[in-house]
Amino acid sequence: MSGTTPTTPRIALVLAGCMMLVLAGCRAPGKPGPAEPRPDRVMEFAKLYKQNCAACHGEEGKRGLAVSLSNPVYIAIAGKEAVLNATAKGGPGKLMPAFAKSYGGTLTDAQIEVLADGIVRHWGQPQLLAGKNPPSYAATLAGDAAAGNAAYTAYCTRCHAEEAIDKTHIAGPITDANYLALISDQGLRTAILSGRPEEGMPDWRGIAPRPLTDRQVTDIVAWLASLRKTPASPNTASSKEKSHE
Amino acid sequence: MKDLKQRGLRIFQWFEKRTGLLKPLEEMARHPTPSSAASWWYVFGSAAMVLLIMQVMTGILLALVYSPSASNAYASLQFINHNLRLGWFLRAMHGWGSDFMIAIVLIHMMQVFLFGAYKYPRELTWIAGVFLLLLTLGMAFTGQVLRFDQDAYWGLGIGASVTSRIPFIGAPMVHLLLGGPIIGGATLSRFFALHVFLIPALLLAFVGLHLLMVLRLGINEWPMPGRLVRKSDYDRNYVALTKSTGVPFVPDAAWKDAVFAAVILLAVMACAFFFGPFGPGGQPDPTIIQTVPRPDFFFLWLYAVLAFLPPEMETPALLIAPVAIVGGLLLLPLIAGEGEKHWSRRPVAVLMVTLIAVTLGTFTHLGLHTPWSPAMDSWSSDPVPASFVEHRTPLERRGALLLQQKQCRNCHSIGGVGGRRGPALDAVATEMTGDQIVRQILQGGGNMPAYGKALSPEETTAITQYLRTLRGPGLRPAADASQGLQPQNASHPVDSTKGASGAP
């Protein structure tokens, strides 16, 4: 036993010395990295997007549940103003909350600007639709539901009927009143105009043999809107106060 | 060499002549201990003291730079972390030293208890030890507050709301501690004063008293089954024992203390080196709500207890339990001051230690692994993995969207992403029928809020339709075509939309 007495502390000393050398020399694993900024000081597009939008619009703006924000056709039609507006005040339907602090969200105006600007600059293609004369982003005409029904049956049912004809692009029915209660007219219009490229829905140019006209798009939306239980409310049905139980 | 020794001796005598302190110190160091007490089991007390000294030294260095004002504290910690050479290591040593110290004090206490060392004549030593434990915990808590990050800030807020429930003195006590009704600039200065002046002063005083008694009364002999402690003959027996088997404390027993203390110090350094300092986490600011406060390790059990206590039990439990526990610890040596010391003859004592250790361990484990705070930004940042949304109808996809928008994902993970407050929903469809799912959503229950008022019938339908497609990781829902028909087939009460679908 007594043999260990003098050597053990010496070993400890040597170990401690080595440690100090290592500390001074290389990068210690415990050394803290740069401090996290406050949430309202984050100004990087990728970080802001991941934190606030990725859940519904998909990582990198792709394959999300809602509008594909990385779809350049969507960006070209909607423009930065509409993107900024939706981000700040909430989407056209009630499914997307407002993000600006002034509308009850958590992001500052500067952060909203970073997001809108980032979406347009990262994912947009400036001259994509130059000369293609797409229908306007927002509807300007009054819709005709009967004409819309005809156009829908002609162009949409091949993918959207319960027994779809185009088996490669089975998309499921969108005439279900429950579904229509959860999407706004603008949401429908956006879907028709910009399509869902990742899932196989073409944009307004590829749905019919000829590109759909503004009138046709407006009519189809009008017809779909007429299938809602509460055609008066343009948005989601949560305004309807129905009590369960 | 010989010359050096002589000169050393002369200096020693010079001081001794004038102070008269060195001889007694030397005697103290060489005081005889029963050889059975020169054991590896007896090293924890001295290790705790070495850690205390290390904490004092690192603490002084930190105090040179730390700024105890609400507006600067956070920045000064960042400064220490990033701008001072090895500043981060100093913070890490102090933080890990604190955790190690609590652990060692607890182990020391358990050993003393199991060895019956608190019995006559060492009752007061134990009582001083109980105060040392409380003071050590006090240091850990105030230290965590000085970090003044979100964890500290929110922990403090919760602590204050707990304290305020004490009848009569609760509110004044909170006021006194926080320096006002709310956490503010004054709070930090108060905790700084507590952490660097008041508690350390008390701690050192009690350590002195504790040590004095250890030296005066001698180190507890190794307990023997059947050798009972009696006030009448204990002292005589102890003197006889030290006479017959006594060895000088230095070096025969002390080298073990020295080796163990060195190992512990190395362990603290290793933890500091590899795991780094604690925090500071996010900035303290009540307007930042994307935060999940989490207390430091040794207070986790407390948070777990609070989280699991039914609300109506909280106040009584919080008022009675601490008084009972501390009172019990203080009274222990006065009640059980005599009799058997050996653990093999004290089944109740062993059972109690086991019970307490298991309880604390379990609650700490729960504290570490139960995410009772939901993941605050899952709803907007964690997408449902692609394999769980492919081949779904538009309505089902709206249901998945609603799962995000209604923040269900903050509590429910799918495909391993999302909060864990509630069960994972990967395979709900195999565990629950559509009706059961609807009931759970509308009525909540079991720590889930009821959504009856917050969902329209269409929203409930969409969510349920989507959840009914979840049959396990990567599994596709049953044939797509039949999924499309389901809105009509479903028989649950909220499906009020027959006939509308499939209109074309």
Side-chain angles (χ1 to χ4, degrees), chain B residues 85-100:
Chain B
R85 192 185 193 94
L86 288 186
W88 66 272
F89 189 67
L90 188 66
R91 285 199 59 232
M93 289 273 285
H94 198 67
W96 281 100
S98 157
D99 274 4
F100 269 81

Side-chain angles (χ1 to χ4, degrees), chain B residues 136-196:
Chain B
T136 308
L137 289 175
M139 284 305 276
F141 186 77
T142 51
Q144 171 191 331
V145 170
L146 292 197
R147 212 159 63 223
F148 219 59
D149 56 5
Q150 273 170 17
D151 287 350
Y153 195 88
W154 286 80
L156 194 57
I158 294 167
S161 82
V162 166
T163 314
S164 67
R165 291 184 213 181
I166 305 175
F168 309 118
I169 57 165
M173 238 166 98
V174 169
H175 204 281
L176 185 71
L177 275 180
L178 300 188
I182 55 157
I183 302 168
T187 313
L188 192 55
S189 353
R190 300 232 164 165
F191 275 82
F192 185 70
L194 283 178
H195 188 78
V196 305

Side-chain angles (χ1 to χ4, degrees), chain B residues 233-431:
Chain B
D233 64 358
Y234 179 84
D235 296 317
R236 210 168 339 116
N237 290 346
Y238 185 80
V239 171
L241 193 71
T242 38
K243 272 241 165 66
S244 60
T245 74
V247 292
F249 176 70
V250 179
D252 290 52
W255 73 265
K256 286 181 180 159
D257 292 273
V259 169
F260 184 72
V263 169
I264 288 293
L265 285 185
L266 278 179
V268 172
M269 286 166 74
C271 284
F273 180 74
F274 288 107
F275 304 116
F278 300 111
Q283 289 197 20
D285 182 341
T287 62
I288 300 176
I289 51 168
Q290 303 95 320
T291 169
V292 181
R294 204 180 242 297
D296 281 3
F297 182 79
F298 280 102
F299 298 104
L300 273 174
W301 65 273
L302 192 66
Y303 274 63
V305 169
L306 288 178
F308 284 99
L309 225 50
E312 67 276 10
M313 286 285 297
E314 239 170 55
T315 307
L318 284 172
L319 299 185
I320 298 166
V323 177
I325 293 171
V326 174
L329 284 174
L330 289 177
L331 288 178
L332 171 75
L334 305 178
I335 294 165
E338 284 185 304
E340 184 62 58
K341 268 186 176 176
H342 196 267
W343 55 88
S344 69
R345 304 261 174 116
R346 292 165 56 222
V348 177
V350 174
L351 205 71
M352 256 168 65
V353 169
T354 321
L355 197 75
I356 293 172
V358 169
T359 318
L360 285 184
T362 311
F363 277 119
T364 303
H365 182 85
L366 284 174
L368 277 174
H369 297 282
T370 316
W372 53 74
S373 307
M376 293 299 188
D377 54 13
S378 260
W379 72 275
S380 64
S381 78
D382 291 338
V384 176
S387 61
F388 290 88
V389 290
E390 277 165 2
H391 309 293
R392 264 68 172 183
T393 65
L395 177 63
E396 287 156 4
R397 290 166 62 98
R398 289 277 130 171
L401 260 176
L402 281 160
L403 220 55
Q404 305 290 158
Q405 194 243 345
K406 299 291 173 189
Q407 312 204 346
C408 312
R409 292 294 305 290
N410 288 7
C411 292
H412 290 289
S413 70
I414 294 180
V417 281
R420 276 152 217 280
R421 183 86 172 90
L425 295 179
D426 297 23
V428 266
T430 62
E431 289 152 16

Side-chain angles (χ1 to χ4, degrees), chain A residues 19 23 28-30 32-33 35 38 50-53 55 64 94-95 171 176 178 182 196 199 229 237 240 244-245, chain B residues 78 82 88 269 273-274 276 285 377 379-381 383 394 397-398 404-405 443 452 455 458-459 462 487 496-497 501:
Chain A
M19 192 123 164
L23 270 184
R38 297 171 52 108
K50 166 68 185 146
Q51 189 118 43
N52 299 290
C53 322
K94 287 190 184 157
L95 239 54
D176 179 289
N178 285 314
L182 298 171
R196 293 191 62 98
E199 281 91 3
K229 285 300 227 19
K240 262 192 306 178
H244 311 270
E245 309 304 307
Chain B
Q78 293 294 358
H82 300 290
W88 66 272
M269 286 166 74
F273 180 74
F274 288 107
D285 182 341
D377 54 13
W379 72 275
S380 64
S381 78
R397 290 166 62 98
R398 289 277 130 171
Q404 305 290 158
Q405 194 243 345
Q443 301 177 353
L455 293 175
E458 293 85 357
E459 287 171 331
S496 55
T497 56
S501 56

